[in-house]
C-alpha cells in the first residue's frame, strides 16, 4: 500500500477504499473494458453501463443474501434524502415509530415528522446516547406504518447489538455506517438503506433494499425522484443515475467477494475492533465513549481527560500518517472510524501511537 505514500484515514466518511479497487479505477479510467471511454463518459442506457449496474446489484444480492422478494434501489441524494423518502413512501395509517439513538436517527425522526406523525418509541438521549435502547425500553405502536432505527450510530460509536422485534410492523434501518461489515438477516427488515460513502463507494448515492409488498404508489405530490415504486419499476434509471458510484460499488463488491465475502470481512472487522477496544479497556489514560454492550465495530469513540491533550493527540497522530482522528464536534475527543477498508495495520499503528502518547503524557 505504501508504494503510493498513502495515509491511514480514520475519517467517518467519505473513507478509505481498497487499493486494488483504486488501481482498477485508474487502469480503466481512459478506456473501460474496450469501450474507448471511461465509465464517467458513458451513457447510462448503453449496454456496458447497464451490465455494470446489473452486476453491482447481483453482487450485492449475493454478498448480503438478499431474498428474492426484496428490490434493490440505487438512489441519489445520500442517506439524508431517504429520511424524507421513507415516510412519503411507507405512509398508510399516518404514524411511525422512531427510536432515537444518536444524531442521524434524531435528524431522521425530525425530517419524517414533516410527512407523518412521529412517535419517539425509545431514546437514549438522557444518557448522552451512550447506548442503543434495549427492547424493553421501546414503546411500540402496533398500528405504526413502520419502526425506524439507526443500526450503527456513527457519531456516538454505538450499535444495536440485537434486531428489535416489531411484530407485524415493518422494521426500517439506516445501515449507512455498517453495511457489509458483518452478516445481517435482511428478512428481518422491511427496508434497509445506506449512504455508500462509508463502506462502499464515493458519496452521492444511497442503496435502498425494500421488501416488495411495501412498494405502492405514493401520494400524487411525491417528487418523481423520491418515488420508490417508480425507481423500482425503472431499475433505478428513471433519470441519469450516479454512474460512477454504481461502478465503484461493483468494484468494491467484487473485491469483497474475492476476499471471502461478508463473513471474512466481519472476522477482520472484529479483529480490528478487539485490538482497539482491548487496548482502551486496559488503559487508565484513555476513556472509551460507548457502553460496552453496544459498542460499534466501525466507529470507536475515546478521549483523554483533557481537551488540550486530545488536540495534541490528534496533531501528533497526523504527523504519523494517522489522519482524521478528531472526534465529532458535538462530542469532542477522538473518533477512529475503522470501516471495512481500513487495514489491520492502520489500527496496529494507531494503538502503537496511543501507547507511546500515554507513556509520554500519562
Ligand atoms: C453518514 C450517515 C448518514 C448521512 O449520510 P449522507 O449520505 O451524507 O446523507 C446517515 N446516517 C448514518 C448512520 C450515517 O453514518
Amino acid at each position: 500500500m505504501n508504494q503510493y505514500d498513502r495515509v491511514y484515514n480514520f475519517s467517518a466518511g467519505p473513507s478509505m477504499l481498497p487499493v486494488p479497487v483504486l488501481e482498477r479505477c485508474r487502469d480503466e479510467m481512459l478506456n473501460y473494458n474496450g469501450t474507448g471511454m471511461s465509465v464517467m463518459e458513458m451513457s447510462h442506457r448503453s449496454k456496458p453501463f447497464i451490465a455494470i449496474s446489473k452486476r453491482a446489484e447481483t453482487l450485492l444480492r449475493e454478498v448480503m443474501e438478499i431474498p428474492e422478494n426484496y428490490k434493490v434501489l440505487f438512489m441519489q441524494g445520500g442517506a439524508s434524502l431517504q429520511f424524507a423518502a421513507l415516510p412519503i413512501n411507507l405512509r398508510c395509517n399516518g404514524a411511525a415509530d422512531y427510536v432515537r439513538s444518536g444524531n442521524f436517527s434524531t435528524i431522521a425522526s425530525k425530517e419524517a415528522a414533516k410527512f407523518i406523525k412521529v412517535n419517539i418509541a425509545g431514546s437514549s438521549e438522557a444518557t448522552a446516547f451512550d447506548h442503543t435502547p434495549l427492547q424493553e425500553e421501546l414503546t411500540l405502536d402496533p398500528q405504526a406504518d413502520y419502526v425506524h432505527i439507526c443500526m450503527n450510530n456513527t457519531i456516538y460509536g454505538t450499535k444495536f447489538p440485537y434486531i428489535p422485534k416489531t411484530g407485524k410492523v415493518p422494521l426500517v434501518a439506516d445501515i449507512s455506517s455498517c453495511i457489509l461489515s458483518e452478516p445481517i438477516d435482511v428478512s428481518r427488515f422491511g427496508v434497509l438503506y445506506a449512504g455508500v460513502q462509508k463502506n462502499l463507494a464515493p458519496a452521492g448515492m444511497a442503496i435502498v433494499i425494500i421488501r416488495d409488498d411495501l412498494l405502492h404508489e405514493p401520494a400524487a405530490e411525491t417528487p418523481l425522484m423520491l418515488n420508490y415504486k417508480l425507481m423500482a419499476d425503472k431499475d433505478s434509471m428513471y433519470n441519469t443515475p450516479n454512474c460512477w458510484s454504481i461502478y465503484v460499488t461493483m468494484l468494491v463488491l467484487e473485491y469483497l467477494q474475492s476476499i471471502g465475502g461478508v463473513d471474512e470481512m466481519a472476522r477482520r472487522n472484529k479483529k480490528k475492533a478487539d485490538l482497539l477496544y482491548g487496548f482502551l479497556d486496559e488503559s487508565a489514560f484513555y476513556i472509551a465513549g460507548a457502553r460496552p454492550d453496544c459498542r460499534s465495530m466501525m466507529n470507536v469513540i475515546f478521549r483523554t481527560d483533557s481537551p488540550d491533550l486530545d488536540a495534541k493527540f490528534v496533531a501528533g497522530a497526523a504527523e504519523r500518517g494517522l489522519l482524521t482522528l478528531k472526534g465529532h464536534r458535538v462530542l469532542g475527543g477522538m473518533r477512529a472510524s475503522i470501516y471495512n477498508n481500513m487495514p489491520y495495520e492502520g489500527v496496529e499503528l494507531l494503538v502503537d501511537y496511543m501507547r507511546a502518547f500515554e507513556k509520554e503524557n500519562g
Side-chain angles (χ1 to χ4, degrees):
M1 153 146 160
N2 272 324
Q3 103 192 67
Y4 301 112
D5 275 338
R6 282 171 58 81
V7 295
Y8 292 96
N9 178 13
F10 292 89
S11 166
S15 48
M16 295 181 78
L17 288 166
V19 168
V21 166
L22 295 172
E23 286 173 330
R24 237 184 105 184
C25 292
R26 176 198 62 195
D27 294 345
E28 294 178 343
M29 183 67 79
L30 285 118
N31 186 344
Y32 173 74
N33 204 14
T35 58
M37 63 178 92
S38 70
V39 175
M40 284 186 276
E41 300 164 288
M42 196 175 274
S43 164
H44 58 296
R45 310 274 179 214
S46 67
K47 260 198 188 138
F49 186 76
I50 289 174
I52 289 171
S53 184
K54 284 241 149 38
R55 180 145 172 78
E57 178 182 341
T58 303
L59 284 165
L60 187 73
R61 286 183 173 281
E62 283 172 24
V63 298
M64 285 185 75
E65 298 179 26
I66 300 174
E68 280 291 316
N69 62 326
Y70 284 73
K71 291 275 189 211
V72 172
L73 311 178
F74 297 133
M75 298 194 53
Q76 304 198 48
S80 299
L81 196 57
Q82 297 309 313
F83 297 164
L86 288 161
I88 288 174
N89 285 280
L90 300 181
R91 193 169 46 193
C92 291
N93 297 335
D97 282 340
Y98 274 74
V99 181
R100 283 189 179 167
S101 56
N103 171 72
F104 288 112
S105 55
T106 301
I107 297 173
S109 67
K110 290 179 178 168
E111 185 76 342
K114 296 174 183 171
F115 307 100
I116 200 167
K117 183 175 177 299
V118 166
N119 303 310
I120 304 305
S123 173
S124 49
E125 194 171 2
T127 54
F129 297 123
D130 67 337
H131 71 289
T132 47
L134 304 171
Q135 180 84 48
E136 321 64 282
E137 296 175 73
L138 305 181
T139 317
L140 299 174
D141 168 10
Q143 298 303 318
D145 288 333
Y146 60 96
V147 179
H148 181 279
I149 63 168
C150 179
M151 204 70 180
N152 184 79
N153 297 281
T154 320
I155 291 178
Y156 293 89
T158 64
K159 73 160 184 183
F160 274 85
Y162 72 103
I163 298 177
K165 290 195 178 63
T166 59
K168 285 194 171 22
V169 179
L171 179 60
V172 174
D174 179 353
I175 54 169
S176 294
S177 51
C178 58
I179 185 169
L180 299 165
S181 64
E182 59 185 330
I184 186 167
D185 180 355
V186 175
S187 71
R188 298 279 302 274
F189 298 86
V191 183
L192 289 166
Y193 70 100
V196 293
Q197 70 273 27
K198 276 78 187 235
N199 270 341
L200 259 173
M205 186 169 89
I207 289 177
V208 177
I209 301 164
I210 179 165
R211 212 174 62 213
D212 56 14
D213 63 285
L214 298 172
L215 287 169
H216 51 78
E217 203 48 64
E221 70 269 20
T222 300
L224 292 169
M225 294 301 295
L226 293 182
N227 184 329
Y228 286 163
K229 173 124 191 346
L230 180 68
M231 285 297 157
D233 290 346
K234 301 283 182 188
D235 289 330
S236 305
M237 292 219 211
Y238 173 75
N239 75 333
T240 319
N242 187 335
C243 300
W244 183 251
S245 191
I246 292 172
Y247 162 67
V248 180
T249 294
M250 175 189 81
L251 296 184
V252 170
L253 289 168
E254 275 178 0
Y255 174 77
L256 178 59
Q257 209 170 43
S258 78
I259 66 154
V262 175
D263 287 333
E264 171 60 16
M265 188 53 79
R267 192 191 64 77
R268 293 183 187 191
N269 285 334
K270 185 166 185 310
K271 194 171 159 215
K272 288 184 285 181
D274 284 350
L275 176 63
L276 191 43
Y277 284 120
F279 174 75
L280 284 171
D281 286 341
E282 273 173 23
S283 163
F285 179 72
Y286 298 101
I287 304 144
R291 213 170 72 181
D293 60 321
C294 334
R295 281 172 169 173
S296 166
M297 236 182 4
M298 299 277 99
N299 311 96
V300 180
I301 308 298
F302 60 97
R303 60 185 173 84
T304 70
D305 64 8
S306 139
D308 289 341
L309 273 183
D310 291 347
K312 188 177 169 195
F313 177 94
V314 171
E319 278 167 26
R320 297 180 174 219
L322 307 171
L323 258 73
T324 347
L325 282 159
K326 191 169 188 281
H328 189 274
R329 60 189 181 280
V330 306
L331 272 186
M334 277 77 76
R335 169 173 54 177
S337 295
I338 51 173
Y339 293 125
N340 279 10
N341 303 314
M342 167 61 68
Y344 184 73
E345 309 84 75
V347 182
E348 268 181 330
L349 288 171
L350 173 61
V351 169
D352 288 348
Y353 169 63
M354 289 170 77
R355 197 173 279 124
F357 187 87
E358 173 172 353
K359 238 191 207 126
E360 209 178 287
N361 299 280

